[in-house]
Amino acid sequence: MTGAEIMYAVGFFVGLFGAIFGVWKYVDGKIGAVRDDLALHKLHIAEHYVSKQGLRETTEQIMAAIGGVKDAVDNMTLRVDRIVENQPQRRTTRAG
């Protein structure tokens, strides 16, 4: 093999490797863009939507809090009733 033939073979393989590398970087860039879009979509879903289990847990917590408020109001009503019942009766007399 002569020097020109060796340079031609080396140039061919370098060009082939460059083309393969270029295609690989292009495909990798597209995959990376899709991965980023998917990550943004997942973040959007996580921020704006709730799972059924999460909604159920939140509803149970809200209902428990409402039950606590109802119990407090009921106890307050009983206390007011006791205060009113324990007040002495006023007797009025008519002068006349």
Side-chain angles (χ1 to χ4, degrees):
M1 269 178 126
T2 64
E5 291 174 340
I6 292 173
M7 289 303 293
Y8 177 74
V10 168
F12 174 75
F13 286 114
V14 167
L16 182 64
F17 176 74
I20 291 171
F21 183 75
V23 169
W24 173 256
K25 289 303 282 179
Y26 176 78
V27 170
D28 187 49
K30 291 293 182 181
I31 291 172
V34 169
R35 186 176 345 152
D36 293 343
D37 288 344
L38 182 60
L40 287 174
H41 179 68
K42 286 181 179 180
L43 179 63
H44 174 78
I45 295 298
E47 288 176 343
H48 293 93
Y49 296 96
V50 65
S51 68
K52 288 183 181 181
Q53 181 63 30
L55 181 61
R56 186 175 300 118
E57 290 173 2
T58 303
T59 303
E60 289 172 359
Q61 290 173 353
I62 290 171
M63 294 307 289
I66 290 172
V69 170
K70 179 189 176 298
D71 292 341
V73 169
D74 288 343
N75 289 336
M76 188 181 301
T77 303
L78 293 173
R79 290 172 66 190
V80 170
D81 288 344
R82 280 190 219 130
I83 291 171
V84 170
E85 289 171 356
N86 291 332
Q87 286 184 350
Q89 296 287 334
R90 293 188 183 164
R91 294 186 181 164
T92 57
T93 57
R94 290 190 153 176

